[in-house]
Amino acid sequence: MRTEVITVRTGSRPVVRDITQEAARFASEAAGDGDGLLNVFVPHATAGVAIIETGAGSDDDLLRALDDLLPADDRWQHRHGSPGHGRDHVMPGFVAPYATLPVVGGRIALGTWQSICLVDPNGDNSTRQVRFSFVRG
């Protein structure tokens, strides 16, 4: 197994950050021309990984849907950080902190419009770690 950790700057507001290029580079280096599985993991209690289309508004739609589903208000029992921060700790129950993808011939087998995205609703932390792990098939 091979692993690598990258740092992603997410800023001070909710964001969906496309990390497909970084994941593809890692998978290509780790797999060579071979096959296997790429695991993408975010070791944070308030972030997740989504496989979605980006650039056509879907990333903003995802953030809006999360806001509708998990409003940033005072209903949450978890109450440290920014107002409504408790919802950030619930979000990984809906957007898991990991994704596992097939790698075929050294390339991640994504669909035409799919991207690997870090989803970070938590503006209290401006940087995130993402761990890529490759297991040869």
Side-chain angles (χ1 to χ4, degrees), residues 66-131:
L66 289 171
D67 280 343
D68 290 347
L69 184 64
L70 305 168
D73 57 23
D74 64 357
R75 74 183 69 199
W76 309 103
Q77 291 182 34
H78 189 105
R79 294 182 186 266
H80 73 85
S82 300
H85 174 65
R87 67 93 184 237
D88 299 338
H89 285 273
V90 174
M91 194 271 314
F94 295 87
V95 179
Y98 62 87
T100 301
L101 302 125
V103 175
V104 180
R107 300 186 71 183
I108 304 169
L110 289 167
T112 303
W113 303 111
Q114 291 180 315
S115 295
I116 304 166
C117 296
L118 168 65
V119 181
D120 185 6
N122 181 3
D124 291 344
N125 295 314
S126 62
T127 59
R128 297 299 183 153
Q129 303 297 306
V130 178
R131 177 177 296 277

